[in-house]
Amino acid sequence: MRIKSQADFFSGVMFTTVGGAFAIGATTYTIGDGARMGPGYFPLMLGILLAVLGAIIMFQAMVVETNDGDPIGKWAWKPLAFVLGANLAFGVLLGGLPSIGLPAMGMIIAIYALTIISSMAGEHFKLRDVLILATILAAGSYVAFIWALKLQIQVWPTFISG
């Protein structure tokens, strides 16, 4: 059988691999059953569902004919680096890095950094639009996590909040 859509086939492989890994990882927790679900039940079911979805996508990629075969393009290194870097910066700014003496900067600054760095991954960057988005995300995160859920997350840097 010949692959008729490379992009769909390899995305199906990725879904199946990630779903299988989650399902296997979930077995280290208590699974339970449908009536008394354990902590591993949801990740197991989600992993199985993702693996089955990946298998369906792989099957369709070998059956359904496409015009040009949907070849896989080149790796998008710039967006990959910016998105991974933004998540790394968010984690470091939120929790600090005591090994080098960097204190926790808090949720608001971490969200602004995450939004600004990750937006540089795109083709078009407008600082005004990014700052508006970051402000909305920061305000929404404050309302959801600090005010509504009452989570104990540092909001501001220690040198501001005292």
Side-chain angles (χ1 to χ4, degrees), residues 31-38 41:
I31 305 295
D33 56 27
R36 288 183 80 74
M37 295 179 208
Y41 188 85

Side-chain angles (χ1 to χ4, degrees), residues 85-137:
N87 284 288
L88 180 67
F90 178 80
V92 168
L93 290 172
L94 186 64
L97 207 54
S99 61
I100 62 169
L102 180 68
M105 293 292 165
M107 181 180 72
I108 302 298
I109 290 177
I111 289 174
Y112 271 86
L114 172 78
T115 308
I116 291 168
I117 295 169
S118 62
S119 68
M120 291 181 196
E123 303 265 331
H124 308 288
F125 178 83
K126 292 184 181 174
L127 185 60
R128 181 183 61 87
D129 295 345
V130 172
L131 290 176
I132 291 170
L133 174 63
T135 302
I136 293 168
L137 287 173

Side-chain angles (χ1 to χ4, degrees), residues 13-103:
V13 168
M14 181 190 66
F15 285 170
T16 303
T17 304
V18 170
F22 267 89
I24 291 169
T27 60
T28 61
Y29 298 106
T30 304
I31 305 295
D33 56 27
R36 288 183 80 74
M37 295 179 208
Y41 188 85
F42 183 71
L44 175 68
M45 292 300 131
L46 196 61
I48 290 171
L49 182 65
L50 189 60
V52 169
L53 179 66
I56 291 169
I57 291 171
M58 283 191 298
F59 176 74
Q60 283 184 336
M62 292 191 294
V63 173
V64 177
E65 191 70 44
T66 57
N67 292 337
D68 59 354
D70 286 336
I72 296 178
K74 297 187 320 186
W75 280 76
W77 291 108
K78 178 188 166 198
L80 180 65
F82 275 116
V83 170
L84 289 176
N87 284 288
L88 180 67
F90 178 80
V92 168
L93 290 172
L94 186 64
L97 207 54
S99 61
I100 62 169
L102 180 68

